[in-house]
């Protein structure tokens, strides 16, 4: 554990990167106050798990579906993987994913029985961070030796250091001093503007316990349909056997379909998704409840140049930009960014303590 000055560290984004950063910082800076803000009503970011309101059904993963670990990361991030597996947060994926593109036998696949957001919750719980959801940060200002985070509801938070983990286009939309700093660093700003993401719609379908979905697969990649790209039977994917919960299904659209309809409301596009789903799975029964979601920023298509893990935008006070936009879009990409961010922050904090 490194001895550093008492700090209030603000982390914007309660997704995988933000949660892992908060956990790593807690281990290294036990006395620091950690604050995590997220614009959503819950945590998880693109590792989002949604529950039904009325149907007594299992939850759905509207974002990441399962965790694939390459041989290189299995060695590099072994302590993270082992911890999640030991805690029961991750288990081996034992069901069939039909049409899986990655046939590399060295890649292992894992599933989160409680939904992928449970991975994020695991690290947030470890950190003991002060968490505020429904706080959409729209302004970042430097006030003396502090950084002020301002939400769209007018609530402000004073921090000594800040880590911004939201999608890069949202960083570029921030108002306040941060916009002036970006304009003063044209190379950094240009590299940020070059980061791009794919977009997707998702729909969660919930069924009552009496519903039976008889498919040999738990997940299926769809080809030949202009809308539907992936379908998962969530309870089967997670190997859940609770007879008191009904099945649930999640549908992800293709990137071309999503780009074509990107400016449409998520609920307005759900009937179109369901119509295409009936073409693919005509025997699928009508759900009791449906939830739609739009991922304007889904997977990173083009990352920040050279994938540095994070970028120090301002050193005093410290502002770090992080997230999968600085690596790549999967759990290990987020862990990689979190490690880089923590190392960069500890280096700056240590130098402050020595002044």
């Amino acid at each position: 554990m490194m001895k550093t000055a008492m700090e209030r560290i603000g982390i914007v984004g309660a997704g995988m990167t933000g949660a892992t950063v908060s956990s790593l910082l807690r281990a290294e800076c036990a006395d620091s106050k950690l604050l995590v803000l997220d614009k959503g009503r819950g945590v998880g970011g693109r590792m989002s798990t949604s529950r039904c309101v009325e149907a007594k059904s299992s939850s759905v993963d509207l974002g990441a579906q399962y965790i694939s670990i390459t041989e290189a990361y299995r060695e590099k991030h072994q302590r993270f993987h082992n911890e999640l597996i030991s805690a029961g947060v991750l288990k081996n994926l034992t069901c069939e994913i039909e049409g899986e593109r990655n046939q590399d036998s060295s890649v292992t696949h894992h599933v989160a029985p409680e939904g992928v957001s449970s991975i994020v919750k695991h690290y947030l719980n470890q950190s003991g961070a002060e968490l505020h959801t429904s706080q959409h940060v729209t302004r970042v200002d430097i006030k003396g030796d502090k950084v002020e985070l301002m939400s769209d509801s007018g609530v402000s938070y004073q921090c000594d250091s800040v880590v911004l983990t939201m999608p890069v286009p949202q960083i570029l939309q921030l108002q306040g001093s941060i916009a002036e700093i970006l304009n003063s660093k044209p190379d950094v700003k240009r590299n940020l503007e070059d980061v791009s993401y794919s977009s997707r719609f998702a729909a969660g379908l919930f069924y009552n316990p009496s519903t039976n979905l008889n498919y040999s697969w738990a997940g299926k990649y769809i080809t030949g349909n202009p809308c539907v790209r992936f379908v998962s039977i969530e309870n089967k994917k997670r190997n859940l056997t609770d007879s008191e919960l009904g099945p649930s299904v999640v549908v992800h659209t293709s990137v071309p379909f999503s780009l074509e309809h990107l400016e449409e409301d998520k609920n307005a596009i759900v009937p179109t998704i369901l119509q295409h789903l009936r073409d693919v799975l005509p025997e699928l029964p009508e759900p009791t409840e449906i939830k739609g979601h739009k991922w304007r920023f889904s997977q990173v298509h083009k990352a920040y140049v050279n994938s540095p893990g994070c970028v120090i935008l301002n050193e005093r006070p410290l502002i770090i930009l992080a997230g999968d936009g600085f690596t790549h879009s999967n759990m290990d990409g987020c862990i990689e960014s979190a490690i880089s961010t923590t190392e960069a922050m500890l280096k700056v904090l240590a130098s402050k303590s020595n002044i």
Side-chain angles (χ1 to χ4, degrees), residues 143-354:
K143 301 286 182 73
D145 61 350
K146 304 288 185 184
V147 183
E148 182 182 67
L149 302 172
M150 179 74 73
S151 75
D152 60 354
S153 59
V155 181
S156 66
Y157 302 87
Q158 296 281 336
C159 302
D160 298 291
S161 304
V162 162
V163 180
L164 304 176
T165 72
M166 67 268 268
V168 170
Q170 294 179 354
I171 293 174
L172 291 168
Q173 291 172 358
L174 290 169
Q175 300 175 343
S177 304
I178 190 169
E180 298 167 14
I181 296 171
L182 284 169
N183 287 333
S184 71
K185 299 184 175 184
D187 289 345
V188 173
K189 187 175 183 181
R190 189 181 310 111
N191 289 335
L192 291 172
E193 290 171 339
D194 283 343
V195 176
S196 61
Y197 296 75
S198 60
S199 302
R200 289 186 190 275
F201 285 92
L205 283 57
F206 301 95
Y207 298 88
N208 285 320
S210 59
T211 309
N212 206 2
L213 302 181
N214 293 315
Y215 296 100
S216 61
W217 45 266
K220 182 180 178 71
Y221 286 92
I222 307 298
T223 58
N225 185 279
C227 171
V228 177
R229 182 67 185 100
F230 180 79
V231 182
S232 171
I233 303 172
E234 293 293 87
N235 49 307
K236 195 169 183 178
K237 180 186 76 178
R238 302 181 202 168
N239 198 24
L240 300 179
T241 57
D242 188 348
S243 60
E244 294 185 0
L245 289 177
S248 58
V249 171
V250 68
V251 187
H252 280 197
T253 65
S254 67
V255 172
F257 175 89
S258 303
L259 290 174
E260 181 183 350
H261 299 277
L262 188 58
E263 300 310 321
E264 296 184 42
D265 180 80
K266 62 181 182 181
N267 294 320
I269 208 68
V270 164
T272 304
I273 297 173
L274 293 182
Q275 183 57 57
H276 282 280
L277 182 62
R278 292 186 193 100
D279 294 338
V280 173
L281 301 174
E283 68 283 2
L284 191 69
E286 288 296 317
T288 303
E289 188 178 327
I290 303 169
K291 279 190 178 180
H293 192 88
K294 175 164 63 177
W295 296 108
R296 182 175 289 274
F297 307 111
S298 181
Q299 292 182 307
V300 174
H301 179 256
K302 181 182 179 184
Y304 192 96
V305 63
N306 297 326
S307 299
C310 69
V311 168
I312 295 178
L313 185 64
N314 196 72
E315 192 162 308
R316 297 182 189 277
L318 182 59
I319 301 175
I320 298 180
L321 311 181
D324 60 354
F326 300 88
T327 51
H328 51 88
S329 286
N330 60 19
M331 185 184 78
D332 282 301
C334 293
I335 291 174
E336 190 77 359
S337 177
I339 293 171
S340 298
T341 300
T342 304
E343 290 174 347
M345 178 163 283
L346 292 177
K347 187 176 180 180
V348 173
L349 295 184
S351 67
K352 287 173 66 176
S353 298
N354 293 330

Side-chain angles (χ1 to χ4, degrees), residues 11-56:
I11 300 168
V12 182
M16 186 66 199
T17 304
T20 310
V21 167
S22 69
S23 175
L24 292 174
L25 286 175
R26 175 57 67 220
E28 296 291 344
C29 312
D31 295 332
S32 290
K33 296 180 179 178
L34 301 178
L35 169 72
V36 178
L37 306 175
D38 196 276
K39 70 175 185 176
R41 289 179 295 177
V43 303
R46 280 164 283 163
M47 297 181 79
S48 169
T49 302
S50 183
R51 304 188 185 280
C52 54
V53 176
E54 297 178 2
K56 196 172 184 183

